[in-house]
Structures are given as structure tokens and as C-alpha cells.
Amino acid sequence: MTTGGQALVEQLRREGVKIVFGIPGVQLDWAVDALCDAAGDIQYIVPRHEQATSYMADGYARTTGKEGVCMMVPGPGVLNALAGLSTAWACNARVLFIAGQIPSPTIGKGFGMLHEIPDQSGILKSLTKWHAIARTAAEIPSLVHEAFTQLRSGRPRPVALEIPPDLLQATIDSATYFDAAPSAPAPVDAKLVAQAAKLLSDAKFPVIYAGGGASAGNADEALRALAEKLQAPVVMTEGARGALSARHPLALTTLGGRCVLPHADVVLVAGSRFLDAIARPTHAVPHCKFIYLNIEENDVGAPRQPGLELLGDVRLGCEGLVAAIGSTSARNSRIEDVAKVKAWEDQQMSAIKPQADFVAILREHIADDAVLVSELTQVGYFSNIAYKVHAPRTFITPGYQGTLGYGFPTALGVAAGAPGKRTVSIVGDGGFGWSLQELATAAKYDLNLSVVVFADGRFGNVQRIQRRVFGREFAVDLHNPDFQLLAKAFGVVSYRADSPADLAAALTTAQAAGGPCLIEVRVGEMPSAWPLIHPFVPSPVAPPPNPLGEPFNPAGPAG
């Protein structure tokens, strides 16, 4: 005889799950007891707030390339974890969200059961690509298997499975289990790939614009091979940073994209929505031809300029293009052009102080294959374009969700998935307040992580906007704890830094010691980097001229 909880855990084990992030509660008792029996195969990591369970699963998934699994009680537990689920949705993360439920006979009856909320299933459906609720204990393994089938096919996005407590406790005479679901990327139409290959082969100045879907789809190597074959600059959004190392001679950020896109005659948009933060097309000019390679049909149509639409897996699409494009031996190299643009980028970024100095220190003290988790703080915003990323899955942001407070708990999941590498989380004192209790989690599991708290005593970005729009500020001041005393109370080593040099020393010491560490960096008001991050934000000073000269003239040669 097998309980539904044991069947759940056994199918998770067969799917290759190594860690479950969760907080126990009465509706999950029979699942948690089964995890106790499986402790040799699956680690159960318990943070201090349900919100951290989904953030940790997201961080684990996005940096390991494996599925992240979280589990929480129904009602308030689910609601607490929704912020992390929405971030996973926005950032194409493969997260299995296992939610408890109230007893099966009472669902939807409004009896006031413990943790009951109206239409929990409807809430979960709105933030996942697939959802199911178990109706019998015997079907639990098949539902878990279907969840992983969904996670390993189509667009990478979270899925949810609800299991009532009576089914976790119920017994199954003979449970049926399944082998691990295979990876099943969606193919791209070969005829359309051939058409796209012809456009790119004939282009005088092709540009590749890579988004988070390229990284989520593991397209990094195929993207690099395609770029080198075409000698095409690759503009990477924050979600794609690391698809090509920043050291690669064709790699650019979106800031550099402002120089090369106006010269492009063909743009391949790979795994990106290709819209800016105010929902306008990133680039739209009559003379340019566009190829949209994306798993998501909604991300290739209007309001973008019309183009050739390649629906399917970004990696398979790029591999197909590499194979279909003929000899490119006569193609002009764009390495010198990109070098000029890189220098143009550096010229502007180096003027944003002290952010540029802090980011340089972070880059110097984080290994190429270790992860920086960026937050919504001034150094974090600037990192989106200025931190040089050298490997895939080593730079994590909340994407368009912009989830304040996500960074530290997400970094805990990253550290759990890569214990041999030093994870670094950068947060502001505002965002850190969302999850500072998770210092207990970092200490309990001895996670190899440094959290760097940039403390200015205010919600700095809110303050800047209030001053600009209203000419005054309100409700932005923070009453912070003594961060050194706070860390000591949780048994975590801490340091205080007042300069980039102090931060460098603290990062070095923390790395050598291992385990968790809090570094408080006291800072003042910082200059705005927004004109470099978003082209629609006006700059107080004129940017240096495009090093590639005037934009492409369709009547003459490109570039």
C-alpha cells in the first residue's frame, strides 16, 4: 500500500528532482512525511516565509537549467508565494508549484475550512501555462509526470498542481509510475528557416537581437555559431546576458544596440518580445527586414513591424539557420564596428559614479561561472547594462515583473543549486526588508552566498521620481535595523563597507571563508542611469555620436 504523499514524492524522484523548497503545514503532512523517507534522494529546504519558496525555486531553475519545485499550504500559503510565481512566469522559469488544498468534498462549498479561499485554482491558472487538481490519489503520479512533460516542452514557464490533503493521506493498492518526461523542444518549419537563411545571407549588415527566451531555451551555443557565421553583432537584453560572453567581439548590450540597429538591413529577433518598457517596438524602420524567431505566437505580431515569423524552439531555429546558410567567407567582419560600439558604451557607463566603480568591483570578485542576482536598487539597475556577463545563466533579474524584494530569496535558491560556487546577491535596504528573515535560511543550510546591502535609508528610485514629478518627496524614508547586529543575531558573518575598495576587501574575505555573509555598503544618493537603460528617458547631456556614423541609407551601401 502506498499513500498519495508517497506516490507524489516517488514520481518527483523519478523525474530527477533533487530539492523541494517548501514550508510544512497540516494540509501537506502526508507529503512532508514522505519527503522524510526520501531524504537520501530529495532535500527538503524550508525557508521562513512562503514567498521565499517560489523565489528559491525560480532561482534554482533559471541558473541550473533544471526544474525548480516548491510546495506550500493552500490559501494564505499560496497567496504568499504568488509573487515568486509571477516572476517565474515573466522570466520563463521552469517551476513546478505544488499547492495544498482543502479536503476534496469541501472545495468550492464556502464552508470556511482552514486556509480556504475562493477559486484558488483560477488564481493559479492565471499565472501558469498548465494547471491540474488531483481528484484521486491514484492519478497523482500521472499528474506529476504531465507537469514535467509540460515543463520540458513548449515555452518554458511555470506549472501548478493542487493536491487535497485527503488524497495525500489516501492509500493506493498499486501505484503506477512513469519514467522521466523527455525534453521535447518545438521544431521550426524548415521552409521558413530556408527563407530566413536567404534573407540573412543576402544582408549587408545583419543584426541579431536576443532576448530571455534564447537563454531559457538553451540557445547560447547555436546563437554564437550563427553570429560568427554571419559576422552579425548580437544585442542582448538583460534576460539574455551571457548568451555570448561580454568578451566576445560581437557581443553588445541594449545600449550598444542603439548604434547597430539603425545600420541593420535585416534583424533576427531571437526569443524576445522586441518591445520596450512602454510597449513600443524596440526598432521599426521601413527599410529594415525583420525575422521573428520565438516559441510564443503572441510575441511575433503587431505592434511590431511585419516580418518573417518562425514559430518554435529558439535553439532549434538557430541551429537550422546555421545549417541552411551557405558559405560566408566573403562576408565583411563586423568586429571592428562592434569594438567601436563597445568603447562608446564604456565611455558613457564609466561616467555613472559610484555605480560604475561598485559594478567593476563586483565583476572582479565574482567568478565567470558564478551568479550575480541583481535587485531593484541603483547598482542593480545599472548592472543590467554595465555588469559584464561571461557565461549563460549567471546574471539573474526579475525581468519585466520588476519584483522588489525578490533578489535575496532568489539568490538562496541559486546557492542551493550551485553550492560549489559563490553566489552574490545585491539588494537595496528597501528591498532587503522584504526577506531579511531569510538570513536564518542562509545560516541553517550554510549557503555559499554573499548578500550585499546598499543602504541609503530610503526607497531611492521612488524618491527620485517623486522629486521629478511632484517637486517633493513623501513616504520614502526607511527605519533600518543595525545590519551588523541583525546578521550576528542570525549567526551570519557581516562586514561594513563605505567605498568600492571596502567592498572588494569584504567580498574577498567572504569568499575565502565560505558560508553566508552580509555586507552592508553605506551609500548616498546616486546619479540616474535611466537614460542609458531606456532610450525613451531623456538624458540631461547629449550622448556621444554614433561611432558607426549616420544610419543606413537604403539608397546606398549598408554600414
Side-chain angles (χ1 to χ4, degrees), residues 166-326:
D166 50 306
L167 303 188
L168 291 172
Q169 183 176 355
T171 56
I172 307 165
D173 289 336
S174 180
T176 301
Y177 297 109
F178 302 84
D179 293 335
S183 175
V188 183
D189 188 298
K191 292 182 179 179
L192 294 178
V193 169
Q195 293 179 35
K198 179 69 164 56
L199 285 175
L200 291 167
S201 296
D202 292 345
K204 296 178 180 178
F205 199 136
V207 171
I208 300 172
Y209 190 94
S215 290
N218 299 311
D220 314 292
E221 283 301 312
L223 196 69
R224 179 192 57 76
L226 179 61
E228 291 174 352
K229 192 164 192 178
L230 292 171
Q231 281 300 294
V234 180
V235 179
M236 291 173 284
T237 69
E238 65 184 58
R241 302 287 310 283
L244 268 70
S245 168
R247 298 189 186 100
H248 194 285
L250 293 171
L252 291 171
T253 68
T254 53
L255 177 59
R258 300 183 198 182
C259 294
V260 296
L261 285 172
H263 287 266
D265 53 349
V266 177
V267 175
L268 169 64
V269 182
S272 169
R273 292 178 187 84
F274 207 56
L275 298 176
D276 66 19
I278 54 176
R280 301 179 313 183
T282 297
H283 183 65
V285 291
H287 69 261
C288 189
K289 297 177 181 178
F290 292 89
I291 303 165
Y292 300 103
L293 171 58
N294 207 300
I295 191 71
E296 178 61 65
E297 187 173 3
N298 291 335
D299 290 346
V300 298
R304 303 158 192 86
Q305 187 168 317
L308 181 61
E309 300 177 5
L310 306 183
L311 292 177
D313 183 77
V314 176
R315 176 181 61 83
L316 293 182
C318 287
E319 290 175 349
L321 288 169
V322 171
I325 292 170

Side-chain angles (χ1 to χ4, degrees), residues 231-538:
Q231 281 300 294
V234 180
V235 179
M236 291 173 284
T237 69
E238 65 184 58
R241 302 287 310 283
L244 268 70
S245 168
R247 298 189 186 100
H248 194 285
L250 293 171
L252 291 171
T253 68
T254 53
L255 177 59
R258 300 183 198 182
C259 294
V260 296
L261 285 172
H263 287 266
D265 53 349
V266 177
V267 175
L268 169 64
V269 182
S272 169
R273 292 178 187 84
F274 207 56
L275 298 176
D276 66 19
I278 54 176
R280 301 179 313 183
T282 297
H283 183 65
V285 291
H287 69 261
C288 189
K289 297 177 181 178
F290 292 89
I291 303 165
Y292 300 103
L293 171 58
N294 207 300
I295 191 71
E296 178 61 65
E297 187 173 3
N298 291 335
D299 290 346
V300 298
R304 303 158 192 86
Q305 187 168 317
L308 181 61
E309 300 177 5
L310 306 183
L311 292 177
D313 183 77
V314 176
R315 176 181 61 83
L316 293 182
C318 287
E319 290 175 349
L321 288 169
V322 171
I325 292 170
S327 172
T328 57
S329 59
R331 182 174 293 279
N332 291 332
S333 171
R334 291 296 174 184
I335 290 177
E336 289 186 8
D337 289 335
V338 174
K340 293 176 184 177
V341 175
K342 285 176 182 280
W344 180 87
E345 288 180 315
D346 290 342
Q347 177 184 356
Q348 295 174 84
M349 291 189 292
S350 64
I352 307 296
K353 306 267 188 189
Q355 293 101 306
D357 294 332
F358 282 122
V359 168
I361 291 299
L362 289 168
R363 178 64 280 175
E364 181 182 347
H365 290 83
I366 298 174
D368 284 1
D369 62 349
V371 178
L372 172 66
V373 181
S374 175
E375 248 276 16
L376 306 184
T377 185
Q378 297 305 314
V379 176
Y381 294 131
F382 187 64
S383 296
N384 289 344
I385 55 169
Y387 181 77
K388 297 185 184 302
V389 186
H390 297 310
R393 301 184 180 276
T394 59
F395 182 69
I396 303 297
T397 80
Y400 71 80
Q401 200 64 27
T403 327
L404 183 61
Y406 96 103
F408 180 43
T410 299
L412 298 175
V414 173
K421 301 173 184 176
R422 186 72 179 176
T423 300
V424 176
S425 167
I426 56 173
V427 299
D429 45 357
F432 188 52
W434 264 247
S435 57
L436 52 79
Q437 75 281 352
E438 300 303 340
L439 287 169
T441 308
K444 178 179 179 180
Y445 297 99
D446 195 29
L447 296 176
N448 191 13
L449 172 142
S450 292
V451 54
V452 181
V453 182
F454 290 96
D456 62 358
R458 57 185 55 85
F459 292 118
N461 209 54
V462 176
Q463 179 191 52
R464 174 180 288 123
I465 293 170
Q466 288 180 345
R467 285 179 178 174
R468 187 183 74 246
V469 176
F470 305 106
R472 61 180 180 176
E473 59 192 67
F474 178 69
V476 295
D477 293 332
L478 302 174
H479 182 75
N480 286 327
D482 181 325
F483 287 113
Q484 307 303 300
L485 192 60
L486 179 74
K488 183 178 180 180
F490 283 106
V492 172
V493 175
S494 66
Y495 304 96
R496 179 175 291 157
D498 295 307
S499 67
D502 290 346
L503 175 59
L507 287 169
T508 299
T509 304
Q511 169 104 9
C517 172
L518 182 150
I519 303 171
E520 177 190 3
V521 183
R522 294 188 172 184
V523 296
E525 191 169 344
M526 297 185 184
S528 174
W530 288 108
L532 302 185
I533 299 168
H534 295 301
F536 53 80
V537 177

